[in-house]
Amino acid sequence: MKKTLFVVMMTLMIFILAACNNQTTVAPTTQPVTTAQPTTLSPTTAVPTTVQPTTSGPTTLAPTTLDPDIVLINSVYDWLDLGDLTALTENSGRIIMPSTRQNATISWEISNTDYIAPNGVITQPHYSVGDQTVTLRATISYNAKQRVKEFSALVKAHPTPENTPPLMFETWNDYENGDIIPQTETGGLWAPVSGKTYYSEFFIVSSIPGSVIPGESKALEIKALYERQISAPIFHNYDLLVIEVDLCQTSGGSPIYIQTSQSAPAIGF
């Protein structure tokens, strides 16, 4: 409606301006003046303007070419993984920290080498110190470009003495009665000491005449006739070990020793 009125008003103004500019003189007349009937103007119907959409295809961007050095470094970054580091102990095995991959160099920084050594060996903290978090920071380098990846490792402290699980608990129940030597050839904890394969005999027995084997266990009967020995490794870094052994020895028998890896007798019976 506003557009229609505007058109009408402009028409009237043009009409009035045209009349004012006309220089014709009208002589007075004695005829009665007839009042002109108002002209009825039909409202102008505005025709909506239809805007045709502009047709154009999608803009095609040229693909961005990445630096091949960055692509290589990112590939090494995604590949690099140290496994589960959430509860490390000395039994977890050492951490493998690679030094190269796809011609890229990987250098490492370790926040505390007291607990994770540069060669990946783990040393558990004393129980009084508590668990320790160690950050392993890898810097991947190639053609003077670098990217850093960090790993967080939790090294568990040793348990208190009263909560320390046994390093070894042997009942001999995993062996069949009879000579133990053939049974060690298929694997297991025990094995003959290298170079000492003479005449001593080792038999698994389920009973001892005149004695009771405690704890529903079997027993290892040793006939120490000569140099032959068997051993089982116990790995530790404790200052003190408590060894409990149920030992029966015939009168006049030869001494029995528990030895260290240096073959120096630690305990003798």
Side-chain angles (χ1 to χ4, degrees):
M1 178 60 73
K2 291 182 179 181
K3 181 180 288 186
T4 301
L5 292 177
F6 175 73
V7 172
V8 173
M9 291 179 64
M10 288 297 295
T11 304
L12 291 176
M13 290 177 65
I14 293 170
F15 175 78
I16 295 169
L17 289 173
C20 294
N21 291 332
N22 194 335
Q23 299 299 319
T24 304
T25 303
V26 179
T29 178
T30 58
Q31 297 296 327
V33 178
T34 303
T35 305
Q37 296 297 321
T39 303
T40 303
L41 301 175
S42 299
T44 303
T45 302
V47 179
T49 302
T50 302
V51 178
Q52 296 297 330
T54 302
T55 303
S56 61
T59 302
T60 302
L61 298 177
T64 302
T65 303
L66 295 178
D67 185 332
D69 295 347
I70 300 300
V71 172
L72 186 145
I73 289 176
N74 289 340
S75 174
V76 175
Y77 181 95
D78 295 336
W79 166 82
L80 187 58
D81 186 15
L82 299 182
D84 186 4
L85 304 175
T86 57
L88 297 176
T89 67
E90 290 159 357
N91 294 325
S92 301
R94 73 184 188 93
I95 300 172
I96 304 300
M97 292 176 277
S99 59
T100 184
R101 173 75 173 180
Q102 297 179 2
N103 296 323
T105 300
I106 308 173
S107 58
W108 293 89
E109 296 178 27
I110 304 172
S111 63
N112 196 328
T113 55
D114 290 341
Y115 307 116
I116 299 180
N119 62 357
V121 173
I122 299 166
T123 300
Q124 290 180 252
H126 192 269
Y127 66 85
S128 62
V129 176
D131 299 346
Q132 296 293 311
T133 298
V134 180
T135 301
L136 298 96
R137 179 184 175 95
T139 301
I140 306 166
S141 305
Y142 185 73
N143 284 348
K145 300 179 179 65
Q146 293 182 340
R147 187 175 181 185
V148 173
K149 189 170 187 177
E150 289 188 351
F151 301 88
S152 181
L154 179 66
V155 182
K156 301 292 290 184
H158 280 296
T160 58
E162 60 269 19
N163 293 323
T164 301
L167 296 175
M168 184 177 113
F169 185 73
E170 182 61 88
T171 63
W172 309 105
N173 285 327
D174 294 334
Y175 297 90
E176 300 292 335
N177 287 0
D179 191 356
I180 193 178
I181 299 300
Q183 301 182 63
T184 63
E185 296 175 355
T186 58
L189 187 65
W190 294 87
V193 175
S194 175
K196 298 184 177 182
T197 58
Y198 293 98
Y199 305 110
S200 295
E201 298 174 349
F202 305 87
F203 291 92
I204 302 297
V205 297
S206 55
S207 62
I208 300 175
S211 300
V212 176
I213 301 176
E216 300 181 355
S217 301
K218 292 182 179 182
L220 177 68
E221 182 183 15
I222 304 173
K223 295 182 179 181
L225 306 177
Y226 199 62
E227 186 67 11
R228 191 185 215 179
Q229 302 174 11
I230 63 173
S231 65
I234 302 176
F235 300 100
H236 70 92
N237 63 353
Y238 292 107
D239 296 329
L240 174 67
L241 284 182
V242 177
I243 300 175
E244 297 180 2
V245 179
D246 293 304
L247 178 65
C248 297
Q249 187 175 15
T250 59
S251 60
S254 60
I256 298 174
Y257 295 103
I258 298 176
Q259 297 178 327
T260 68
S261 59
Q262 285 77 30
S263 298
I267 302 175
F269 300 93

